[in-house]
Every structure is written in C-alpha cells, then in structure tokens.
Amino acid sequence: MDVSKNLRMIIVNDADKANLSLSVGSEVASLPLTNVQNNLNSRVFSTADVAQVQIAMTFDEPTILSGLVLWRHNLSDAATWQIELFSDVAMTQPITDGDSGELQAVEQKTLGEHDWLLDTLVSAVVNTKLRASNHWFSSEAVQAVRITVKDPLNDYGFIDIGRIYSGIVLQPLVNFSYGHSLGWASQSQKKTTAGGSTFSKKRARPRKLSFSLDWISELERPHFFNAINRTGDDTDMYLSMYPEYGGQKEMQYAMACMFTTLPDFNNIHHDTYSTQYNVQEV
C-alpha cells in the first residue's frame, strides 16, 4: 500500500473467508461472531465481556492484507483496540511491525471542530450508538490476525460489532478529482392531508458518494478492474476518501457501501484511464 493519504478502498473483503473464533470473551448465543461476515445490519456480533474481547481471524493460506475496519460498533469514547498480524495460524510467529499497539477506537473531533460550550475536551466525531474504526498498514502476507478490544466504560454493558472488513487496500497514485459529491439517499415517503399538513415516517438516510479517478495508469488498472469484477454491484466494500485526515471529515467520507452503478474504464490517453464511482452506504 502506498504511504500517501490518497483515497483507500477495500473492495474485496478477505475477512469474509476467514475462520473466526474468540480467544478471550464469549458471544451472545443468538448473535454469534460469524455475523460479522454478512452485511445484514440486524445481525451483529455481541458480547457482554466489555473489559476485553479478543477475536482470532485465521486463513487457510497466506493472504495479503493492508487494512482492517470494524464497522457499526457501539464502542465508547474511551475504548481501545489493537491489531496483531502473524505469519502462522497458531499465532506464534508475529510479523515484524505487525503490531499496531493500543489505538483509540473512536475518532475524536479536532480542536477546530469542537462546540466549546457543549463538547467535552475529548468528544467523538459522531455522537451516535453506531461508529466505525479503521487501521491501515503496509501490505503483509498473513495467516492470522488477532483483534483485541477493550471498553470497560461502555455504558451499554455490551459490545456490538456489525461487520469486519480486511483485505488488500487499493489506493490510486493520483487522487480523486475535484467535483466529488457527498449527500444522502432519501428513503422517506411524505403524505399531505387535505388541511395541508405533511407527515412522514422516519427512515434510514444512507449516505451516497460520487467521485472520479481520472488518472488511473495501466499498472493500476488491472488491480482495480479485477477487484470490481469480483465484487460487482451486489457485494459490500469499504472506502475512505480522506484516510488519516482525522476529525469529522475523515469519518463523514468513510463508509461501507455498494456500487449503485459499475464503473467503466475510459481510455483518455496512452495507458491512462478515467473511471466514475457511484456508491451508497449499506
């Protein structure tokens, strides 16, 4: 993975083919750990072991990873998480520089984003029950990953995790072009009475995002093409348009999503391609 802060995408989610187990903690019987391998938001992994839960993720063969995401979790502002990479299934051979150390699990507002009369000094970017955490690292061939989550101050008394994304992170050498669009896909249905009053039922408002990569080289094109071909428009993926930017901007432009239309690769110059991406949050 490039060391730049350009757009990053986990299009093919290798975590879905991993063997999952808990080395520390237990799962709620009706909400098992394997729920993180489907994109049904009502089916999550849940545990009451808020002090520490440790997820072991192993692969039948060496798998290239360069990023990992916990999506739709309920971790508190004080929660931490740690990722450790291993070259063997037994987790006896740690990969050099494959230990993230303890990380803050919830992105905090930058100083310029604080509402000083309302926020505490440490305030989460998104003050909602459902949040996300991501970590990026250099590409490694791994056979096991250990994820440790600690959240003893969790007000809910349990930890929920909806989805885990991990795989090869695709990152363009030239970042997305100006003119991108971020908004919401309205799903509400409004009705107006004879007296002129308007009523609407509250529904989820998934984000939608459109952007273009206009300078994809021939060296990059096969990797993007093959990943999109494997995922299609019926499988979820994860993208972050401003990775490591920090604050609200990073999290508002990061999401699990699906393609609403599949990109075309338009040849605009010799060995140079332009692609348009349209996605919607899932």
Side-chain angles (χ1 to χ4, degrees):
M1 185 188 71
D2 201 317
V3 295
S4 77
K5 293 185 179 181
N6 288 354
L7 162 80
R8 295 173 189 170
M9 307 172 73
I10 302 177
I11 298 180
V12 177
N13 185 17
D14 288 308
D16 283 351
K17 69 178 184 181
N19 306 302
L20 300 177
S21 63
L22 288 174
S23 47
V24 175
S26 60
E27 61 191 12
V28 174
S30 58
L31 298 170
L33 180 58
T34 52
N35 277 354
V36 300
Q37 293 178 311
N38 70 71
N39 70 335
L40 297 177
N41 292 335
S42 60
R43 295 178 60 188
V44 302
F45 158 63
S46 187
T47 176
D49 297 300
V50 295
Q52 179 173 307
V53 62
Q54 205 166 76
I55 300 170
M57 188 165 67
T58 63
F59 299 91
D60 294 333
E61 57 188 19
T63 301
I64 303 295
L65 305 179
S66 46
L68 193 146
V69 180
L70 302 182
W71 176 249
R72 292 178 64 87
H73 61 64
N74 70 334
L75 300 179
S76 72
D77 293 358
T80 63
W81 71 316
Q82 181 176 2
I83 300 169
E84 299 168 87
L85 308 178
F86 301 87
S87 58
D88 66 321
V89 172
M91 298 187 180
T92 60
Q93 300 176 30
I95 292 175
T96 304
D97 298 327
D99 186 342
S100 69
E102 281 201 352
L103 303 170
Q104 192 171 47
V106 177
E107 185 70 33
Q108 306 299 319
K109 288 183 178 180
T110 62
L111 289 178
E113 294 172 341
H114 270 72
D115 294 321
W116 289 104
L117 297 179
L118 301 175
D119 291 335
T120 59
L121 185 58
V122 178
S123 296
V125 164
V126 182
N127 190 24
T128 62
K129 177 182 177 182
L130 300 176
R131 299 168 169 182
S133 305
N134 58 50
H135 179 60
W136 316 102
F137 44 89
S138 59
S139 295
E140 301 285 357
V142 308
Q143 274 208 267
V145 180
R146 183 160 59 209
I147 306 167
T148 303
V149 178
K150 299 177 182 179
D151 195 12
L153 300 181
N154 191 301
D155 291 336
Y156 299 102
F158 59 88
I159 292 173
D160 280 355
I161 300 174
R163 197 85 165 91
I164 295 179
Y165 295 93
S166 190
I168 295 175
V169 176
L170 293 181
Q171 184 177 45
L173 294 175
V174 179
N175 211 8
F176 57 86
S177 300
Y178 288 110
H180 71 267
S181 173
L182 172 67
W184 296 268
S186 175
Q187 301 184 105
S188 64
Q189 297 179 342
K190 299 179 178 64
K191 292 185 178 181
T192 302
T193 67
S197 299
T198 300
F199 297 89
S200 179
K201 184 177 181 180
K202 286 187 176 295
R203 297 178 183 270
R205 290 187 297 274
R207 289 170 289 172
K208 60 179 181 178
L209 182 59
S210 297
F211 62 93
S212 60
L213 300 179
D214 291 326
W215 303 98
I216 297 293
S217 69
E218 180 56 35
L219 291 175
E220 302 169 276
R221 183 199 59 77
H223 301 288
F224 280 90
F225 188 94
N226 292 336
I228 294 169
N229 185 48
R230 287 181 61 183
T231 300
D233 58 2
D234 55 4
T235 304
D236 54 315
M237 58 183 180
Y238 183 84
L239 71 82
S240 176
M241 290 189 71
Y242 293 97
E244 301 183 61
Y245 189 93
Q248 296 186 63
K249 188 169 187 176
E250 177 176 351
M251 299 313 296
Q252 289 168 355
Y253 279 90
M255 67 182 77
C257 56
M258 287 185 184
F259 287 112
T260 55
T261 57
L262 290 175
D264 292 326
F265 287 76
N266 303 302
N267 180 228
I268 57 172
H269 299 292
H270 176 68
D271 283 351
T272 305
Y273 301 84
S274 172
T275 55
Q276 175 69 34
Y277 293 79
N278 300 296
V279 300
Q280 182 169 310
E281 185 178 15
V282 296

